[in-house]
Amino acid sequence: MKAIEVKNINKSYGKVEALKNVSFDIEQGAIYGIIGPDGAGKTSLFRLIATLLLQDSGQITVEGFDTVRQMQHIRKRLGYMPGKFSLYQDLTIEENLEFFATLFGTTVEAGYDSIKAIYSQIERFKNRRAGALSGGMKQKLALCCALIHSPSILLLDEPTTGVDPVSRKEFWDLLQTLKSRNITIVAATPYLDEIRRCEKVLFLDKGEVKGIGTPDEILTRFADIFNPEGLPENESKLNGTENVIEVKNLVKAFGSFHAVDDISFSVRKGEIFGFLGANGAGKTTAMRMLTGLSQPTSGTGTVVGFDISTEHEKIKKNIGYMSQRFSLYEDLTVEENIRLFGGIYGMTKQAIKEKTEKLLWQLNFTEHRQDLVSSLPLGWKQKLAFSVSIFHEPKVVFLDEPTGGVDPATRRQFWELIYQAAQKGITVFVTTHYMDEAEYCDRISIMVDGKIKAIGSPKELKEQFHKKDMDEVFTYLARTATRQDN
Amino acid sequence: MSTLLYLIQKEFIQIRRNSFLPKLIFGFPIVIMCVMPWVMNMEIKNVVVEVVDNDHSQLSSQLIQKIRHSNYFVFAGTKPSYDTALKDIEHSKADVVLVIPQGYEKNGEQVMIAANAVNGTKGAMGSAYLTQIVNSTNASQSATCSTAKTQKLSLGCKLQTLYLYNKNLNYKVFMIPALFAVVIMLMCGFLPTLNIVSEKEAGTIEQINVTPVKKWQFIIAKIIPYWLIAFFIVSVCLVLSWAIYGIVCKGSIWLIYLLVMLLALVFSSFGLIVSNYSDNMQQAIFVMWFFVVILLLLSGLFTPTRSMPDWAYMSTYINPMHYFIDAMRTVFVRGGGLANVSTQISALAIIGCLMAFWAVGSYKKNA
Amino acid sequence: MTTFASFVLKETKHILRDKRTMLILFGMPIALMLLFGYAVTNDVKNVRVVAVCSQTDHLTEQALVRLSASEYFTLVKTVFTPQEAEQYIRSQKADMAIVFTTDFASKKEGLQFIVDASDPNMAEQWTAYATSILLNPQATVNTKMLYNHQMRSAFNFVPAIMGMLLMLVCAMMTSVSIVREKEKGTMEVLLVSPVKPLMIIISKAIPYLVLSFVILIIILLMATFVLDVPVAGSIVWILLVSLIYILLALSLGLLISNIAKTQLVALLMSAMVLLMPIVMLSGMMFPIESMPKILQYVSAVIPPKYYIQAMRKLMIMGVGITDVLTEVGILSAMTLALLGIALAKFNKRLE
């Protein structure tokens, strides 16, 4: 018997067809990947299998049970982690875990082994409320909550968005061990390395099945989408050695916890500086101090020549910022957002008008100028948000995980935009969890436990640690983290 | 300056785009003005009276006749005994019982009025009216058979009362200016509260925080749209109160607008303060609601502030709502001019400015 | 059973950890009780009087002394013309004026009250009080105020506060807490789990049920010991009728949570659909009899109306349960109907 059988499924919301005649089946105990760009219908598919939605036509059976008529039987056998899985912010880590354990009729002790590899990293903070965790740590906790019980079928909708590479590896190792217990796993993911770990992959686009096969087959067949050529080596001309960002002994403490623990570094004008680190290493906290959003506890720093603790409003005139959470006004149109942020930075009406035309033309957005931002697909939004953040031609632009959850092709386009900005002399300060992106940077630093463990060009770092790519360098350094263990 | 204009423009677009807000801003004042004056009516009408007549005299039936013909009372008939009448009160079939004792006509025995005073006002006013009727019946009786009592009572017959500003004792005249205050408070208080919290929840406030926008620019840009909304709302209210109820402002319209602008400043700043301190919408709404209820109850909107105990009366000195309602009634009902309300206007202006400064101060761009 | 217990525990933690909301939840009944008990009264007190007399003689003086000796009136000023008095009233320095004609002493007549009638009820009461003080009519009437001898407004408002707060806590808080889970995506996980959807709902309702009982008891205790409002009726019946009402409110909350997609909508719906009509149309503050017929019909479908009526009778008047059977019957029927609709409408799936 197949674990999941999907036959000729159609589903539409009003006039929008989310799924068109989708059929496939999944073997018992398989690791099955579902991939596709944003808006392809992945989430709808998951919800249909999880009995949360009703299809318009077609049939889905899960372990022989019909999703429409035998809902209760399926729900007993299913584990599901939705894409925007959110924990209870006001409960502690431990309470969240215990709650989900009892929800599935098990206990934390009974399920401890299956989550140990990930949970041990956050167990130290088990009395902290989930709301106070960093984005990546929340995701790890969410993974633990989803894995605490051992259902016979596990549905994971983009489970590792925003999670650092090391933890993602550990997570997939875990999934592998679950497989040995004959658990069927269906996962959606935008990461290439994760796709490669699936046994079979379904490529979904615009609600239609474009292809089913082994990861290699699919990735070669649709290479232009999943495996775009790497960017040509960035020929940015470094204008001398003028430092745009200089940081000395910077510390940010929350009580006795030093989120950023005595870091010093500098960034040169026109550089693309990659600011890497595992979840909870203190990247976002450091970036918030540099952008004048929070005050350092001690230490000094200057951004474009202004002091970060006293002259933060002057800094703000000279920088652009794009945050982890999507940061444009969803209820304004593309053009209105551009105009608003241009106006905020004191650009003249004429300048805004001219630059808007140019920008829309560059992005191929001219037809969509009157569209509400909320109606754009995620990748477009990210590109627009970046363009808006450099619209006023700042000296430095800060990007906090700008490409989280975006498919490879769009990510590549995004990096082309970053290169263009760098060529104009804008210094780019970027955090990312994609190690292929790290390779695109001129220089990178790797933060572990609030400290900078390594800094240099990708080439230098690979040589220094004798590793073949950035992924291995990062894994090596991140594994030295001690914070989780003490 | 131009930055401010861009921010204000953004606020307006957001309000207009919202699927719910424009309807609320148009609909709410209209519904409130059409329905509420009928509801917020504490006029005591249709008090149900039962009579227990133990005298069965000419005078007692004269008294019953008078009650029967009064517009004020609903006469529910005579009952054989006080106990049966009391049962009717318990069943809420009657509000007041008048017991006419034996020997009422002959010996001038006292009548007894028993009123259901669970609603104190109703009980008091019902029995007061009934007492008047009894008194006038007694007086006419006394006039015919002259007794010693007449002398004092003759004074009563010549007493006249002049009701100023509201000759017909129309309760709506009292309530409509207060309704202006309620509408302004709800619209200009709650909408800005939700505004900043929703920017926090959407994450857009972070984006604003890394821009060189000044704190005051951001706050002023949030307040100004609500000013205009207040301006619009009060115009609608003024027109409706004239069109539906024929009640017009006796004083200067411009004074009304001035007062409304000040109140809008106070409450929109207050809403922004609350949202600056709140993490989520539920919290913001609850806190706001708490203060709104307390400010309203202590403002003299429903009951005179002078009847309050001292501690409560003291609080009216810092209650913007109290100053507003006071001034509003003076201008709208009593036709007072600037001189009559100068204290209230300056108090509102001071509170408004303090609130606005606090709103700017509590907004943190750099923590 | 342990799943159920952990659900209830989780829900309780949500409530307890939101300190500000907790503060409001418990601060509200206390503040409302104190305000309605002491501050919001229609008592005739401190009425500012201006006397208008061109010449004083012993009779006017006597009248004025009698007036200011009473606890109701304070004499603020003596002026010569009614016009001056009117200016005083207009600028809110006085509430009423008493005009004595020049030959008042000789004729024993010619007395006029000029009253600020912007508040008609108070104007009438002031006149009535002033008349009785000045003219001192012999006691022809023996007035007896049943159930509430001092005519304190607290007697009227305590049941109303109960009606409003219980509805607010149960309906608004339950609906918001369910919708929050929908909005944050946790509802999806709960639904897919082996736990029965009905149990999710029941376990959500229980903490709020307990919370409303705590609030109810706070109100009753404050009423008895702080405000001196006696609980005249049987406490068992009061609690029982309240239970029916709380269940009704919970079903309403559930119904709202089925319709609303975001917390904001749930909040606004609770505020618009529940709070406004309760305060305005339930007879809590404004007597239903004085409303136009059409609004009276509307008020007939508002549940708190019946609860407040029943509580006024049970608590304040101290009648037996047999006298409120109609109200209790209507409430129970409404509860059953709403609960039925809410459960039938409850979505076991996402749409």
Side-chain angles (χ1 to χ4, degrees), chain C residues 154-208:
Chain C
F155 281 61
N156 198 26
F157 283 127
V158 168
I161 296 174
M162 283 160 53
M164 182 175 81
L165 281 178
L166 293 184
M167 183 57 97
L168 190 75
V169 171
C170 293
M172 197 187 248
M173 304 274 295
T174 326
S175 63
V176 168
S177 99
I178 295 177
V179 174
R180 189 192 294 137
E181 299 229 19
K182 273 197 205 171
E183 212 180 298
K184 300 258 163 165
T186 38
M187 197 49 138
E188 285 179 53
V189 184
L190 297 188
L191 282 178
V192 172
S193 78
V195 178
K196 288 223 166 61
L198 189 64
M199 207 176 80
I200 301 175
I201 298 308
I202 295 176
S203 61
K204 273 214 169 282
I206 283 183
Y208 291 103

Side-chain angles (χ1 to χ4, degrees), chain B residues 40-197:
Chain B
M40 296 170 85
N41 186 347
M42 291 203 267
E43 245 168 59
I44 308 297
K45 272 197 295 196
N46 308 332
V47 176
V48 183
V49 186
E50 288 188 350
V51 180
V52 180
D53 187 0
N54 295 328
D55 196 38
H56 301 290
S57 61
Q58 199 190 343
L59 190 62
S60 73
S61 55
Q62 203 183 328
L63 183 58
I64 294 168
Q65 269 317 306
K66 272 196 176 169
I67 295 171
R68 197 192 288 272
H69 289 283
S70 151
N71 298 328
Y72 194 81
F73 294 109
V74 174
F75 183 64
T78 52
K79 295 287 154 187
S81 74
Y82 177 60
D83 287 338
T84 39
L86 200 61
K87 264 273 171 279
D88 281 346
I89 286 192
E90 281 182 2
H91 287 123
S92 303
K93 281 184 194 144
D95 300 307
V96 185
V97 177
L98 175 71
V99 183
I100 305 172
Q102 221 170 354
Y104 167 64
E105 188 178 29
K106 273 190 194 139
N107 314 333
E109 289 279 339
Q110 269 189 5
V111 298
M112 186 189 79
I113 295 172
N116 181 350
V118 172
N119 180 346
T121 318
K122 195 173 181 181
M125 302 214 20
S127 58
Y129 264 113
L130 205 53
T131 310
Q132 270 180 27
I133 293 182
V134 172
N135 277 343
S136 70
T137 319
N138 288 1
S140 62
Q141 164 76 0
S142 320
T144 47
C145 46
S146 73
T147 57
K149 291 172 196 164
T150 30
Q151 213 206 342
K152 270 181 191 164
L153 273 167
S154 64
L155 214 59
C157 303
K158 300 275 158 55
L159 187 84
Q160 28 156 231
T161 307
L162 178 65
Y163 290 113
L164 284 178
Y165 318 124
N166 186 4
K167 279 196 199 68
N168 306 322
L169 295 180
N170 182 353
Y171 210 81
K172 294 186 186 83
V173 172
F174 178 61
M175 270 304 167
I176 281 179
L179 274 178
F180 285 33
V182 174
V183 175
I184 298 286
M185 183 170 81
L186 291 179
M187 300 298 282
C188 294
F190 279 95
L191 298 186
T193 316
L194 292 174
N195 192 306
I196 283 197
V197 185

Side-chain angles (χ1 to χ4, degrees), chain A residues 388-400:
Chain A
V388 167
S389 71
I390 57 163
F391 190 70
H392 59 291
E393 291 169 4
K395 297 204 173 83
V396 193
V397 62
F398 291 88
L399 310 172
D400 193 359

Side-chain angles (χ1 to χ4, degrees), chain A residues 122-150:
Chain A
I122 52 171
E123 198 169 9
R124 194 170 90 90
F125 308 106
K126 67 182 181 188
N127 290 321
R128 206 189 276 185
R129 296 202 183 162
L133 297 175
S134 74
M137 278 163 78
K138 277 185 197 160
Q139 202 66 23
K140 284 182 186 171
L141 176 56
L143 291 179
C144 296
C145 291
L147 294 181
I148 188 76
H149 70 312
S150 316

Side-chain angles (χ1 to χ4, degrees), chain A residues 70-96:
Chain A
Q70 292 159 305
M71 181 175 83
Q72 276 308 323
H73 293 281
I74 296 177
R75 289 188 178 181
K76 274 185 200 134
R77 288 168 169 77
L78 213 61
Y80 172 49
M81 182 177 165
K84 55 167 193 174
F85 185 86
S86 121
L87 304 146
Y88 294 103
Q89 309 285 323
D90 47 356
L91 298 187
T92 65
I93 289 188
E94 202 177 19
E95 284 165 346
N96 264 299

Side-chain angles (χ1 to χ4, degrees), chain A residues 248-351:
Chain A
K248 275 205 189 73
N249 307 104
L250 199 62
V251 174
K252 178 78 185 186
F254 301 102
S256 63
F257 178 75
H258 287 221
V260 171
D261 194 4
D262 194 8
I263 59 170
S264 307
F265 66 93
S266 54
V267 178
R268 284 192 288 271
K269 187 165 189 291
E271 245 185 342
I272 301 178
F273 188 82
F275 197 58
L276 311 187
N279 299 125
K283 294 180 310 271
T284 302
T285 315
M287 200 183 244
R288 288 177 64 89
M289 285 190 281
L290 294 179
T291 51
L293 282 175
S294 77
Q295 280 286 343
T297 312
S298 69
T300 56
T302 56
V303 174
V304 290
F306 298 111
D307 189 278
I308 56 169
S309 43
T310 54
E311 297 172 303
H312 41 81
E313 292 309 304
K314 284 186 186 148
I315 291 178
K316 287 173 185 173
K317 278 204 183 83
N318 292 296
I319 59 167
Y321 175 72
M322 179 185 164
S323 72
Q324 225 166 355
R325 286 161 81 188
F326 177 71
S327 50
L328 294 177
Y329 284 94
E330 299 249 323
D331 48 355
L332 299 188
T333 63
V334 172
E335 201 176 10
E336 284 162 351
N337 263 300
I338 299 174
R339 194 170 54 205
L340 170 68
F341 284 101
I344 283 178
Y345 286 100
M347 294 171 65
T348 62
K349 230 176 180 169
Q350 192 58 34

